[in-house]
Amino acid sequence: MFLRRLLSRIATTLVTLFGVAVIVFAVIRIVPGDPVAMMLPPGATEADIARLQAFYGLDKSIPEQFFIWLGGVVQGDFGTSITTRQPVLGLVLSRLPATLELSVMALVIAVALGGLVALTGTRLRYTRTEGALDVANGMALSVPDFLWGLVLILLFGVLWPVFTISGRVSPNLAPEFATSFFLFESVVRLRFDLWLDLVQHMLMPALALAIPLAAIIGQLLKQSLKETMHLDYVTLARTKGYSENHVILREALRNAVLPTLTLIGVQFTFLIGGTVIIERLFSYEGLGNMAIDAVINRDLPLIQGIVLLFALLFTMVNLAVDLLYAVLNPRLRHA
Amino acid sequence: MTFSRRSLLKMTAASVTLSVAMPSFAQAIDELVIAYNVNLPSWDPTVGPSAVNPTIQGIYQSVFDQFILQEPDLSPAPGLLTDWGWNEDRTQVWMDVREGVKWHDGSDFTAEDVAWSLARAADPATGNPIQFVWGTLANHRVEGNRVIADVQQFDPTIFKWMYFLTGYVLPKAYYERVGADGFEAAPIGTGPYMVEQYERNAFVRLRANPDYWNGVPEFESVTIRFVTDAASRVAEVESGRSHVTLEIPYEEYDRLRERSGLAGVAAPVSDIAMIFFNDIDVMLDENVRRAAVYAVDKQLIIDRLLSGYGVAISTLETPEYAAYDPSIEVPYDPDLARELLAESGYSSDNPVRFTIQTTRGFKPKDYEMIQAIVGMWRRVGIEAEIEVYEVARHYELRAADQLAPAAFYNWGNSVGDPTTSTGFAMFGPSPHSVWDSPDLIEKIAPLWAEPDEETRIQGWKDVSRYIAEHAYVLPLLQYVQPILHASGVNVVPHASGALLPHLMTRA
């Protein structure tokens, strides 16, 4: 049953990716903006335009271009970036770890903050503290992540400059990393000076991404916990004389966390999408920052590669959440 | 400089909060840090979109030398080529190559490098976007310290292209040894700085070239951070993390340059704002075109919208350009505009109607400028409808000659030659021109190959006057580039708009 479910999801994922590939390929060729027209200075003739279009393979029909591209993708060749003249796959894979590290750090912060708010709110429910937490939660939710980013820059970048405003690592510290997972590698190499520098760069963008998500997690988890606190088995636990902390953490939380887990999975994909703006704001050298440059320069192969990878990421995260949910939820596990 | 509603919101929030901040800028600067407004996608300055991106040229010129040096006022000066010219019948060009110059790897720079760079630029297989210019020379050869090439098609501006887009000298032996990928990974030039470290989308660290032929730069170490968001660039300089930045809103520039420890320099650059008229519909009526020109108070736009940072222009030539003629003036005269419209039967009650296209946020206050102009037009009897499009769409429509009767655009011309401003913008057969009337084509055509420089420049001045008289285009203003910097640095602005660290010194 589980295996069938897994295979079915993988098949759905492949169909989704194909659909995304078709849509992206068609859309970026329909919207205005010919990379060759943007590249050519005044004075170029029709023949010059045609020459450059042929040089970049844009002289063929759109279906022909699509099947050439798709044939390459199947063999692991995503084409060559027009702006950087580097293979798209290499470019995208070199930036993906930065975005993943940022997203995971944001998620960890969001879960920690949101969890803390939910547990505190539940423990102190019907008090003024709960009201204050609700107000703070509402504020965190109503301000978009890029504005949080700006507020953080002003607070911790300019007024009290403890964190770095832009980049991923200080230029004078940047060593030759073997992988693009800088944070992970700095720990493995026991280079804690580097690790600290990386965290200093990453904390503000991660926090900007995390704050709205933390608010959502806090709200849902608290609601879920409060509902669970009225269930019979929780009342029984109280009757047995367990402390309120024990009841919340050991009895109620396990059941209350399931809807939050699903939500985290869905929101994590949005969080990855949110990195596009946040990476730009903090000049963080991730996939999102690269995506904006690719769009500005109408770098068609790079846009296609990035979007396809984002789509793959989203579907993989959703698949992972589904599987995790199935493992944690006894009703699904024993179905 | 791109400003969306989102970035304006951010800038406003930044202004309010930053107004209480006052970090220290007093430390002496060891390593110069520049917050740059664009990323550097590729190191080859002769291929791909970055080769023709004017903003990136400052980074390229830090590492590579152009064939001919360009002074901050746009004038040419001896560089890697010490002398150049044509033979008498203009069938050949000759170029004398500077001796004693070293590549960053210590090898000797030679005339072979110049000949190879020119031949490579002319080769369509390399994908050089300016190949159509370099292709006018062929059969490049070296005779001692001189490079000679045959002229396939005479172009009086060929030497000007040698300090313009893609006009860079690359190392023949090194490039052939390491290939395109090797060069991308470890680029070398003869320029004032050597590439020490490069992280795509993040930063480039440069170290001063100790053998630079034109004097060793004052700052031995320079880090250029790619900070594409204007609000973050402001914060970088205000927090003291970066010492120099550019392309920030004029309001922010005015606020910050007054701060202790910060200073600014704002100088005109070679970019202009203009409105193309297309030879269709009501624009075929000269009274309408002239009225549209006379009705615009350019100085008011500069004062109110651009905080005074701009220079009103009457032709497509700015004061720094070779064919600038100060005697050509088209004044603001709304009464004359009304008279002209009345001659064609239009008035405020019966306005002439057309569409004007514009970008929004592509250049500072572009949309707001057009809104103001439409308001000025309305007062004299012109009712224009604004259509917003992306600049990419503008290029497509312009190439297909399908622009609206009026279309806002900004034109860059960092060599200051009339062919690369008035010429390409107004010569009908060019796919990038918009006004295509035969009278203008007839006037411009002979100038492309005019061998006598004085006659050529005077010819372009005459063309500019003719265009102004017939209102074939509406020139608006020359942009001013604000550069914000720590007071510990002296910044020399370059009229091309390139931000050049080797021209910076300690204050």
Side-chain angles (χ1 to χ4, degrees), chain B residues 152-166:
Chain B
Q152 302 284 296
Q153 183 190 331
F154 176 67
D155 177 356
T157 65
I158 186 69
F159 291 113
K160 298 201 175 188
W161 282 95
M162 292 191 186
Y163 52 91
F164 198 20
L165 302 171
T166 76

Side-chain angles (χ1 to χ4, degrees), chain A residues 32-34 37-46 48 51-52 55-56 82-86 91 95 146-147 150 153-154 156-159 161-166 169 171-172 174 277 280-281 283 285 289-290 293 298, chain B residues 6 10 13 17-18 20-21 39 41-42 44 47-49 52 124-132 184 197 199-203 205 223 225-229 231-232 235-236 239 241 390 392-393 395-396 411 424 431-432:
Chain A
D34 174 1
M38 290 182 69
M39 203 187 308
L40 276 169
T45 62
E46 300 289 354
D48 299 321
R51 177 180 56 77
L52 267 192
F55 184 82
Y56 289 109
I82 291 174
T83 46
T84 66
R85 298 186 306 123
Q86 306 288 307
L91 283 173
R95 290 289 160 241
F146 74 89
L147 270 183
L150 190 71
I153 286 177
L154 300 175
F156 302 115
V158 177
L159 291 173
V162 286
F163 296 123
T164 314
I165 296 168
S166 61
V169 62
N172 56 344
I277 301 276
R280 195 68 172 178
L281 183 62
S283 303
E285 51 196 284
N289 203 350
M290 183 179 269
D293 276 337
R298 296 296 190 276
Chain B
R6 171 174 286 171
K10 283 153 55 178
T17 315
L18 287 178
V20 296
N39 278 310
S42 165
D44 189 332
V47 179
V52 291
T126 63
N128 184 316
I130 316 288
Q131 183 274 338
F132 63 94
E184 197 62 47
Q197 192 181 3
E199 280 290 329
R200 196 184 301 279
N201 283 80
F203 64 85
R205 285 191 91 188
T223 297
R225 289 173 180 269
F226 307 129
V227 186
T228 46
D229 186 85
S232 300
E236 278 279 333
S239 67
R241 288 190 173 86
E390 273 194 273
R393 179 71 175 151
Y395 290 128
E396 274 190 355
W411 193 284
F424 289 143
H432 294 271

Side-chain angles (χ1 to χ4, degrees), chain B residues 260-302:
Chain B
S260 168
L262 288 177
V265 54
V269 290
S270 56
D271 284 10
I272 62 163
M274 60 190 281
I275 293 175
F276 276 117
F277 289 152
N278 202 354
D279 51 331
I280 53 170
D281 306 336
V282 293
M283 285 303 169
L284 293 169
D285 183 340
E286 184 166 318
N287 286 333
V288 171
R289 294 197 307 273
R290 291 181 66 205
V293 173
Y294 282 118
V296 176
D297 188 346
K298 299 164 191 172
Q299 196 55 51
L300 187 70
I301 290 172
I302 292 167

Side-chain angles (χ1 to χ4, degrees), chain B residues 32 104 111 120 122 136 144 163 198 234 280 374 376 398 452 464 498 507:
Chain B
L32 185 69
H104 293 161
R120 180 173 176 268
T136 60
Y163 52 91
Y198 167 60
V234 169
I280 53 170
V374 166
M376 291 171 185
R398 200 172 75 191
D452 182 72
S464 285

Side-chain angles (χ1 to χ4, degrees), chain A residues 100-121:
Chain A
L100 282 180
E101 283 190 346
L102 179 64
S103 304
V104 170
M105 181 178 259
L107 185 68
V108 169
I109 293 172
V111 169
L113 279 179
L116 192 66
V117 166
L119 291 172
T120 311

Side-chain angles (χ1 to χ4, degrees), chain B residues 256-464:
Chain B
L256 290 169
R257 73 193 173 99
E258 298 301 326
R259 287 282 181 88
S260 168
L262 288 177
V265 54
V269 290
S270 56
D271 284 10
I272 62 163
M274 60 190 281
I275 293 175
F276 276 117
F277 289 152
N278 202 354
D279 51 331
I280 53 170
D281 306 336
V282 293
M283 285 303 169
L284 293 169
D285 183 340
E286 184 166 318
N287 286 333
V288 171
R289 294 197 307 273
R290 291 181 66 205
V293 173
Y294 282 118
V296 176
D297 188 346
K298 299 164 191 172
Q299 196 55 51
L300 187 70
I301 290 172
I302 292 167
D303 292 341
R304 296 282 172 83
L305 285 176
L306 304 179
S307 306
Y309 294 108
V311 179
I313 50 173
S314 293
T315 70
L316 299 183
E317 307 295 310
T318 75
E320 294 79 14
Y321 293 6
Y324 174 68
D325 184 347
S327 70
I328 307 171
E329 270 194 276
V330 183
Y332 167 56
D333 192 341
D335 293 333
L336 180 56
R338 282 189 199 94
E339 282 173 31
L340 288 163
L341 286 172
E343 280 178 31
S344 291
Y346 299 114
S347 65
S348 296
D349 296 331
N350 176 35
V352 56
R353 298 176 191 276
F354 58 82
T355 300
I356 179 165
Q357 293 165 320
T358 180
T359 50
R360 188 173 191 164
F362 179 66
K363 291 296 283 185
K365 305 282 171 67
D366 47 6
Y367 180 72
E368 290 80 359
M369 272 197 267
I370 295 305
Q371 276 186 315
I373 288 169
V374 166
M376 291 171 185
W377 281 346
R378 190 173 295 126
R379 286 203 288 269
V380 299
I382 297 173
E383 196 64 50
E385 187 187 342
I386 302 176
E387 180 189 320
V388 177
Y389 58 7
E390 273 194 273
V391 72
R393 179 71 175 151
H394 170 90
Y395 290 128
E396 274 190 355
L397 291 175
R398 200 172 75 191
D401 199 13
Q402 288 176 352
L403 284 172
F408 174 85
Y409 185 63
N410 66 285
W411 193 284
N413 178 24
S414 66
V415 284
D417 193 82
T419 58
T420 39
S421 52
T422 305
F424 289 143
M426 303 304 297
F427 185 55
S430 159
H432 294 271
S433 79
V434 181
W435 189 268
D436 303 324
S437 65
D439 57 330
L440 194 55
I441 294 171
E442 198 178 303
K443 284 202 172 296
I444 292 177
L447 297 173
W448 293 112
E450 172 56 54
D452 182 72
E453 186 66 2
E454 208 172 310
T455 309
R456 189 176 77 89
I457 295 300
Q458 186 55 50
W460 283 111
K461 286 181 180 178
D462 294 343
V463 164
S464 285

Side-chain angles (χ1 to χ4, degrees), chain B residues 60 62-65 80 101-107 109 169-171 174 183 186-195 209 212:
Chain B
Y60 286 149
S62 300
V63 176
F64 309 104
D65 277 315
L80 292 183
V101 177
K102 299 271 187 197
W103 291 104
H104 293 161
D105 65 353
S107 59
F109 160 77
V169 186
L170 299 186
Y174 179 77
F183 186 79
I188 65 164
T190 55
Y193 281 99
M194 304 182 288
V195 178
N209 176 2
Y212 189 50

